[in-house]
Amino acid sequence: MATVAVSNGTFYYKNAVEKQKTGSNNMGKDEFLKILVTQLSNQDPTQPLQDKEFIAQMATFTSVEQLTNMAGEMKLLRQSIGFSSGLIGKTIGWTQKDSNSEPETLSGVVESIKIKESKQYAVVGDKEVPIDQITEIKS
């Protein structure tokens, strides 16, 4: 559990649980907000802007953390697109419902990969097959 101590106008962040035990060195938004609220509630009313640097640094820290998270997500997306592009030229099989709502197994050669609304599709002829519905891949 995170605690914040105030002494002579200086703020100290102390982690009561060892970071080695939790396996995380990242300060999350909850910890950031606790520190911010504590700082604002203990602020000297005669000098309200004295701690603006601290608040700006903490906000910058949070922004950097979010950018790091976004970079990780982009890496996963690139890896996923890399896998999908490997399907081009291969024969895939998938199941869809026919006009009588009966399952029908179809197959065809992947011509390209499309991304629509954050979802990947294999283009086979005039059909767009969601990648997660592919049941078979052949050379």
Side-chain angles (χ1 to χ4, degrees):
M1 175 170 194
T3 59
V4 177
V6 180
S7 174
N8 299 328
T10 305
F11 295 87
Y12 300 96
Y13 176 75
K14 188 174 183 181
N15 196 344
V17 178
E18 293 289 325
K19 286 188 179 185
Q20 290 86 10
K21 291 180 184 176
T22 63
S24 174
N25 291 329
N26 295 336
M27 183 172 84
K29 64 182 177 195
D30 293 337
E31 290 85 3
F32 170 73
L33 290 175
K34 285 179 187 176
I35 291 171
L36 183 62
V37 167
T38 302
Q39 173 144 4
L40 292 175
S41 64
N42 291 297
Q43 190 173 27
D44 182 0
T46 62
Q47 296 177 338
L49 297 178
Q50 180 183 18
D51 299 319
K52 69 180 180 181
E53 247 182 75
F54 173 79
I55 294 169
Q57 289 173 351
M58 292 300 288
T60 302
F61 173 78
T62 303
S63 296
V64 169
E65 181 183 14
Q66 291 306 314
L67 286 171
T68 303
N69 292 342
M70 284 175 41
E73 293 295 323
M74 292 297 291
K75 181 179 179 183
L76 289 174
L77 179 62
R78 285 193 309 271
Q79 289 172 345
S80 178
I81 291 173
F83 163 75
S84 299
S85 65
L87 295 174
I88 296 173
K90 295 193 177 184
T91 302
I92 62 167
W94 71 96
T95 304
Q96 69 181 31
K97 296 193 182 212
D98 64 10
S99 58
N100 298 327
S101 294
E102 294 293 322
E104 170 183 36
T105 303
L106 301 171
S107 67
V109 176
V110 177
E111 298 168 6
S112 64
I113 301 296
K114 245 186 199 179
I115 299 175
K116 288 197 306 189
E117 299 173 8
S118 300
K119 199 167 183 185
Q120 295 182 17
Y121 296 87
V123 178
V124 179
D126 61 345
K127 297 183 179 1
E128 294 178 359
V129 181
I131 296 293
D132 58 354
Q133 291 183 7
I134 295 174
T135 58
E136 180 180 32
I137 303 171
K138 297 184 211 174
S139 292

